[in-house]
Each structure stands twice: as structure tokens, then as C-alpha cells.
Amino acid sequence: KAFIPRKQKVDIALAKEGAVLHKKDCEKCHSEGGGSPQDDAAILAGQWMPYLTRQFDNMKTGKRIVPSRMQKKINKLSEDDKKALVQFYGSNNLLSSEKK
């Protein structure tokens, strides 16, 4: 079954901050702003924001197991960083200027 990105309201200013964080720390494994289905990593762009928030929390607490290189990055995220990334991924990667 094909993934269908969710349309939801986002905080554009926070999403722009998340775009910067994504490009710096996440793009290597989650390409195309987290939206590439060809990656071995999960599709992030267009996921429900409550789901993304829960999964970030699960990764930080160890409830969800991820590769060690990702765990190190997750552990360094502040609450504000997490919120910004959730807004960016929730925006379905529509921030074209930050996408490139």
C-alpha cells in the first residue's frame, strides 16, 4: 500500500528551523527531506505530527530501538529541536527553499 502524506497545519517558522536541523543531521539517511521511499530509513515527511512526537520520545527513552548513530543524534536533541523537526516533517517537506 502506498504511503499517503497527511495534510496538517504547521508552524512555518518552526518548520524552517526543523529544515535546517534535518539538512545538518538527518538528510544523509532520510533523503529528500525524509520523504524518499527508496531509503532504508522510514519515511518521515507527511507523517502525523502526534505520531512523530511519540516516536521521537520513544527513541529518546529507548522504547523504540534505532541504529546507534541515530540514537546519538536523538539523545542530543533538545525539546525545541524535536518540536522543530516534527513541524518540518509534518509540513510534508513543502519548504522548497530549505529542501535543496
Side-chain angles (χ1 to χ4, degrees), residues 12-67:
I12 295 299
L14 264 181
K16 287 181 179 183
E17 290 177 30
V20 172
L21 289 168
H22 171 84
K23 187 172 183 176
K24 179 179 152 242
D25 293 324
C26 310
E27 182 67 25
K28 184 175 179 182
C29 296
H30 297 277
S31 63
E32 296 179 22
S36 175
Q38 280 74 35
D39 287 341
D40 287 337
I43 293 175
L44 301 172
Q47 294 283 359
W48 284 113
M49 290 189 292
Y51 169 79
L52 290 167
T53 299
R54 186 171 58 251
Q55 294 312 312
F56 272 112
D57 291 343
N58 287 343
M59 287 182 272
K60 198 148 192 168
T61 63
K63 188 173 181 179
R64 179 174 177 165
I65 306 301
V66 295

Side-chain angles (χ1 to χ4, degrees), residues 19-20 22-23 27 32-33 88 93 95-100:
V20 172
H22 171 84
K23 187 172 183 176
E27 182 67 25
E32 296 179 22
F88 172 64
N93 200 19
L95 306 171
S96 58
S97 64
E98 286 78 16
K99 187 175 167 184
K100 296 177 180 167

Side-chain angles (χ1 to χ4, degrees), residues 85-98:
L85 283 168
V86 166
Q87 291 293 313
F88 172 64
Y89 296 131
S91 76
N92 192 23
N93 200 19
L94 297 176
L95 306 171
S96 58
S97 64
E98 286 78 16

